[in-house]
Amino acid sequence: LERSTASFSYSSYHTLEEIYSWIDNFVTEHSDIVSKIDIGKSFENRSILVLKFSTGGSQRPAIWIDTGIHSREWITHATGIWTAMKIVSAYGKDHVLTDILKAMDIFIELVTNPDGFAFTHSMNRLWRKNKSSRPGIFCIGVDLNRNWKIGFGGNGSNKNPCSETYRGPSPQSEPEVAAIVDFITGHGNIKALISIHSYSQMLMYPYGHSLAPVSNQEELYNLAKDAVDALYKVHGMEYIFGSISNTLYVASGITVDWAYDNGIKYAFSFELRDTGRYGFLLPASQIIPTAQEMWIAIQVIMTHTLNHPY
Amino acid sequence: QMNFTGDQVLRVLAKDEKQLSLLRDLEALKPQKVDFWRGPARPSLPVDMRVPFSELNDVKAYLKSHGLAYSVMIKDVQVLLDEERETMAKSRR
């Protein structure tokens, strides 16, 4: 395993072990601004790790970013790692980011579904769910983005354990979801949540479980538009945007709906590249351009959050 | 490692809600066979689905018989997977 982040390739895909080793090196090398928090154990008892970026203070308003909740979406973990490195290298140089970190903390959970991700490397590259199993249930795994306690069991989730969108036996039944819920509710001051998926090039906000508009729909629409416009300027990639139920499909029990209904006004879900050539098998050569454009869009959302305290 | 030799990803452009529901029916007709990479959502969005080699003829016949236009987005999934693994190994070296 690499001895430092210097020789780590940010334009390649990596195994779970390599990512966890990178996290340890990264935190050691940037201990002035980054720390590692273990927020729980996955179903197969792997650590669930969160990176905290902070320049001081305590219980500061914060931004939460997660990648990899669907394990086959490898581009999301890879862009998350690049983003973490970008934050430490831009702090003190990029005034937008520096202003954000002077007032807020940033949390990044790079591997939200470690068991599923390990499985994509060992057995089934196209595995999406986690790896939970229960007596009497024939199929393995729950779709972690249908297991949240918001609209649980509604349209756009499946009660069939063999389905790719199986919601699980009950809300937050999955340790990977419960760990985030406990962390975010325990922290109590998360002001924006950004959940990164792939693919189809979209930037979406709640609700997914209902067609009803959220109370600050206009603000979220305009913010998403600004973010998508900024993203386009980087490499000319077109993203569509809007509420999940109006832009994509009705989906129940999802992360951003839970976040929104738990007081996080700025909750977004990205669907990264690609347009329809490689799908989940996006070549590693597209990791950095995808991360670069995503970073610009995330900065727009973070700056808005900073400038609109609540 | 599961092998996906011969599996294809088909991109289907459903014209209307009726055609979308025909695609949703496919999931029931072929449980745990057809893997929706982009599920049937709305007529303006494509549907991408991975079809195992063993089911290709059936599924293509089903699409044709219902007038569902499709293109082959990935001709052989395993070829891309092999390239991905080779790229990772090269980077590690």
Side-chain angles (χ1 to χ4, degrees), chain A:
Chain A
L1 291 172
E2 304 295 347
R3 290 281 177 273
S4 87
T5 63
S7 50
F8 184 89
S9 168
Y10 294 91
S11 57
S12 303
Y13 292 116
H14 292 276
T15 64
L16 184 68
E17 295 72 24
E18 288 168 343
I19 293 174
Y20 276 20
S21 166
W22 174 84
I23 285 175
D24 288 336
N25 291 331
F26 180 65
V27 167
T28 304
E29 293 162 23
H30 304 281
S31 54
D32 55 326
I33 186 173
V34 192
S35 54
K36 173 179 86 172
I37 305 170
D38 188 324
I39 66 169
K41 295 294 183 203
S42 66
F43 183 85
E44 292 178 338
N45 208 33
R46 290 183 172 90
S47 290
I48 301 173
L49 302 177
V50 171
L51 289 174
K52 176 182 181 182
F53 300 82
S54 179
T55 58
S58 85
Q59 271 338 77
R60 276 179 170 174
I63 290 156
W64 169 274
I65 299 171
D66 64 66
T67 58
I69 196 167
H70 290 143
S71 39
R72 63 183 172 185
E73 299 166 6
W74 280 14
I75 185 62
T76 67
H77 317 82
T79 54
I81 294 167
W82 183 92
T83 300
M85 196 56 180
K86 180 68 180 177
I87 289 172
V88 297
S89 55
Y91 178 64
K93 303 183 186 76
D94 174 329
H95 72 88
V96 170
L97 175 77
T98 304
D99 289 348
I100 290 165
L101 274 176
K102 277 182 179 159
M104 303 181 84
D105 292 343
I106 299 174
F107 294 97
I108 301 185
E109 183 180 4
L110 288 173
V111 191
T112 307
N113 175 7
D115 299 347
F117 185 62
F119 197 57
T120 60
H121 284 273
S122 64
M123 288 296 287
N124 181 347
R125 168 69 179 79
L126 296 174
W127 188 260
R128 164 187 166 99
K129 302 189 283 185
N130 75 346
K131 290 293 299 314
S132 65
S133 58
R134 287 172 174 86
I137 291 188
F138 174 64
C139 287
I140 297 246
V142 170
D143 180 348
L144 298 175
N145 199 34
R146 297 297 185 278
N147 187 243
W148 298 74
K149 193 181 288 184
I150 173 72
F152 179 83
N155 291 337
S157 70
N158 205 308
K159 64 177 185 296
N160 174 0
C162 297
S163 164
E164 290 292 357
T165 54
Y166 173 49
R167 58 186 173 240
S170 59
Q172 296 167 205
S173 58
E174 304 312 296
E176 297 86 358
V177 169
I180 300 173
V181 169
D182 293 347
F183 179 81
I184 287 180
T185 43
H187 182 279
N189 206 11
I190 304 284
K191 296 300 180 185
L193 175 138
I194 302 170
S195 193
I196 315 283
H197 292 248
S198 79
Y199 63 98
S200 52
Q201 297 185 197
M202 295 174 180
L203 175 56
M204 298 178 282
Y205 46 81
Y207 286 116
H209 71 87
S210 153
L211 290 167
V214 291
S215 56
N216 64 328
Q217 159 100 359
E218 189 177 345
E219 181 186 17
L220 294 183
Y221 177 90
N222 291 326
L223 178 50
K225 181 176 186 321
D226 293 346
V228 161
D229 289 348
L231 182 151
Y232 175 78
K233 291 190 178 84
V234 182
H235 295 300
M237 297 309 281
E238 294 191 355
Y239 276 51
I240 60 176
F241 62 95
S243 75
I244 293 166
S245 54
N246 279 301
T247 309
L248 189 49
Y249 43 43
V250 171
S252 302
I254 66 177
T255 313
V256 291
D257 282 4
W258 174 84
Y260 190 83
D261 273 17
N262 280 270
I264 301 176
K265 264 176 70 176
Y266 305 122
F268 288 92
S269 179
F270 275 86
E271 290 282 353
L272 301 181
R273 295 186 187 187
D274 104 308
T275 48
R277 168 68 189 82
Y278 298 101
F280 298 120
L281 308 182
L282 193 69
S285 56
Q286 292 198 36
I287 291 173
I288 290 184
T290 304
Q292 288 168 333
E293 63 199 18
M294 180 188 83
W295 170 246
I296 296 301
I298 284 181
Q299 276 200 306
V300 169
I301 295 169
M302 294 198 290
T303 303
H304 184 91
T305 307
L306 175 67
N307 297 336
H308 297 77
Y310 61 95

Side-chain angles (χ1 to χ4, degrees), chain B residues 25-72:
Chain B
D25 294 346
L26 201 49
E27 187 170 10
L29 287 171
K30 297 278 183 186
Q32 292 172 265
K33 297 285 187 195
V34 172
D35 171 16
F36 283 114
W37 283 17
R38 289 186 65 169
R42 55 189 63 241
S44 57
L45 295 177
V47 175
D48 296 343
M49 55 189 188
R50 176 180 63 82
V51 180
F53 179 67
S54 57
E55 304 293 335
L56 268 179
N57 290 336
D58 278 4
V59 168
K60 287 181 176 177
Y62 178 88
L63 297 175
K64 274 197 186 102
S65 67
H66 290 94
L68 283 152
Y70 71 87
S71 60
V72 178

